Amino acid sequence: MNDKLDDETYARAALTYLAEPADPCLATLLRAHGAVVALDAISTGRLPAIAEAPRGKRAMESAMVRWRTRLPLLPPPDEVLAFREAGIRLIRPGDPEWPGQLADLGDAQPYALWLRGQADLRFNCLRSVAIVGSRAATAYGSYVAAEFAASVATRGLAVISGGAFGIDAAAHRGALGADGVTVAVLACGVDTPYPAAHTELFDAIAAQGVIASEWPPGLHVSRLRFLIRNRVIAALAGGTLVVEAGERSGALNTARHARDLNRRLMAVPGPVTSDLSAGCHQVIRDWQGVLVTSAAEVAEHLAPVGHLGIGQTGDVQDLNPRDLLDLDSAKVLDAMPRRGGLGTLRVAQRAGLAPATTGACLGKLATAGLVERCDNGWRLGRA
Amino acid sequence: MNDKLDDETYARAALTYLAEPADPCLATLLRAHGAVVALDAISTGRLPAIAEAPRGKRAMESAMVRWRTRLPLLPPPDEVLAFREAGIRLIRPGDPEWPGQLADLGDAQPYALWLRGQADLRFNCLRSVAIVGSRAATAYGSYVAAEFAASVATRGLAVISGGAFGIDAAAHRGALGADGVTVAVLACGVDTPYPAAHTELFDAIAAQGVIASEWPPGLHVSRLRFLIRNRVIAALAGGTLVVEAGERSGALNTARHARDLNRRLMAVPGPVTSDLSAGCHQVIRDWQGVLVTSAAEVAEHLAPVGHLGIGQTGDVQDLNPRDLLDLDSAKVLDAMPRRGGLGTLRVAQRAGLAPATTGACLGKLATAGLVERCDNGWRLGRA
């Protein structure tokens, strides 16, 4: 990022202050006129003409009142820019770090994402699994979540979760303990950790992974926000694993989103005598979720298309990480030889890109496990 | 039974002494000439001509040597008859108590079955579930087996198992405790209980249910006999439920038979950290077994065709208990009014049967839950 905010970025940052995520009226406005015009409309109170207004004029007017109510909370561009000094960055659709798979959310795609942490969100989510479950986890559930998270992290998958007590925390900690990357998607500002008891955990996640939120810094959680947030966890990850969940657990809400988004849905069985496994059994029995008993099975179910071994037939996630690459990285990946390794300069020549750009792309591709270092430079990853 | 053995019954009793169950050469001989000629052939050592002899002449001759080796062990007809005084009866294909579904075993159908106990084998197996699992069960497995068995027994299903330590014993005891019917299919003589520690359990089963075996009284178990026996458990029951099983458990052998026989296959999940649930998870994950978490689900999956509530679509067991009724019982069932009750005499008139025959049939139908007593006589069961 440079040291000025472009209009589109500021407009989208502003919208995260003015509207709650997945607001259908704002989606209509964005689709018709883009973020800059939308922000201008809210600021001036003058609705531009919208040919397609499925919600009706009255709904749009009432939304306008709602959005304008928050105008006093909106910081000016230089204050938004100042968050960078606190290690907080904003990404929006089209940015290199924007995870393309969020487009699967359609009108409910986030307006922008606030991030805090070292890891690249887009590249780490290319090979990732959401591990979710109950806050009131049992010792069994916490053990399994930590164990599976550590093991999939070792296999190069990022572990995505919601930063809550119980299964979420066990999953994050398991990935961190295995020196893996973990992503916490919060329902509050990335600088306003909830629960507060997880302040140290969030710092550790920021140091080794990344914290993401649709809400601007300083915002607090609400019950509804947890539910809205869940669709982002499901959409970011290649698949969702439910470790322990009661029949009314919020984790089942995430699972439902994963299913509706055609992501791989998995669940860990447990004792039928445990209420906290009832939701997992429901996922397996009624939602065609896959019963998994080991991290190896999780990794197998998330194998990218084309990387399956012989005998492992179809029925894998529709999401091909290669489809989510930015153009330069895709060129670099295409330029890699099928066998053996190449130096960065040779790759740059084959890809038709500058060596510096090629080096940056190789780094990102390596993070996603698509290439790896070898004696004479770089080669395709063995994933 | 009368107090003489007919030739066919004696011949089949004799074959249980001379050959191990599911002997393909004996099946060939039986199909071509029947049991009486087969026994005569073994006694005289002269093989009759067999047009279809897929196993070849040499195999048949070697089988003959094998069978004739056991001739000295064969008791004469009056000794076989004398078992009745010890409460042991023999049933053979075509007998009123013979469970017709055993025909699904084809050439591996038992030659005959030795029985000990009060309950009618055929009628009780019409609505039944096999509950099987590991001998070295955990407290969790034993609890679930007993609980599920008691609960399905209360719903009028007979619980079939193998009389072993662990899950088998818990299932039998659960059914007995709920005043239900339970069937133990042993791999030894019905008067030679194995394990010996279960002598009292077997007596309780005989008093309230029935013990069945393909092997004649006095015979002891062997490892191979357990495996051969398992197909009978799977074939007798409308479905098989695996409660706890390691990955190499004999219970998975029973489960495999149930699947191959198109019986409903179910398994109870457990902790992924327990080796004894690994076999259950395998059944659910790899064999399309149904994950069940309650006895109600077991009963639902075993609902006879035509008794399904609205919204419960297809995919139930092919076995319709009505198809397995003997002709008289089927006539009686057909004669029952759709609504309200009738006295035995009126049912007899409608069915065109003698009142005594009708009364006997009503008793059997009631055991199977197909009819029940009411104020003015009998009415259709509410199952």
Side-chain angles (χ1 to χ4, degrees), chain B residues 157-237:
Chain B
L157 281 93
V159 172
I160 304 176
S161 197
F165 286 125
I167 299 299
D168 286 17
H172 289 306
R173 290 199 172 104
L176 291 173
D179 289 329
V181 172
T182 189
V183 178
V185 183
L186 303 186
C188 53
V190 294
D191 64 342
T192 322
Y194 179 89
H198 280 174
T199 303
E200 277 180 40
L201 173 62
F202 291 132
D203 288 345
I205 293 173
Q208 203 169 316
V210 61
I211 301 173
S213 176
E214 297 182 80
W215 289 272
L219 242 77
H220 293 280
V221 294
S222 75
R223 199 180 132 60
L224 200 58
R225 284 183 182 154
F226 284 119
L227 289 175
I228 297 177
R229 179 273 317 263
N230 289 343
R231 78 194 196 292
V232 177
I233 294 180
L236 279 177

Side-chain angles (χ1 to χ4, degrees), chain A residues 140 269 271-272 281 285 293 297, chain B residues 140 269 271-272 281 285 291 293 297:
Chain A
Y140 166 68
V272 296
H281 297 148
R285 199 185 45 213
T293 61
E297 288 171 32
Chain B
Y140 167 67
V272 296
H281 297 149
R285 199 184 45 214
L291 178 152
T293 61
E297 289 171 32

Side-chain angles (χ1 to χ4, degrees), chain A residues 140 143-144 148 268-273 280-282 284-285 290-294 297 301, chain B residues 140 143-144 148 268-273 280-282 284-285 290-294 297 301:
Chain A
Y140 166 68
Y143 170 81
V144 168
F148 277 41
V268 177
V272 296
T273 47
C280 294
H281 297 148
Q282 192 181 316
I284 296 164
R285 199 185 45 213
V290 179
L291 179 153
V292 291
T293 61
S294 69
E297 288 171 32
H301 287 299
Chain B
Y140 167 67
Y143 171 80
V144 168
F148 277 42
V268 177
V272 296
T273 46
C280 294
H281 297 149
Q282 193 181 316
I284 296 165
R285 199 184 45 214
V290 179
L291 178 152
V292 291
T293 61
S294 70
E297 289 171 32
H301 286 300

Side-chain angles (χ1 to χ4, degrees), chain A residues 188-227:
Chain A
C188 53
V190 294
D191 63 343
T192 322
Y194 179 89
H198 281 174
T199 302
E200 278 180 39
L201 174 62
F202 290 131
D203 288 344
I205 293 174
Q208 203 169 316
V210 61
I211 300 174
S213 176
E214 297 182 79
W215 290 271
L219 242 77
H220 292 279
V221 294
S222 75
R223 197 180 135 60
L224 200 57
R225 285 183 182 155
F226 284 119
L227 289 175

Side-chain angles (χ1 to χ4, degrees), chain B residues 89-102:
Chain B
R89 61 192 186 276
L90 185 86
I91 59 169
R92 61 172 174 86
D95 279 344
E97 199 179 346
W98 185 258
Q101 64 270 38
L102 289 176

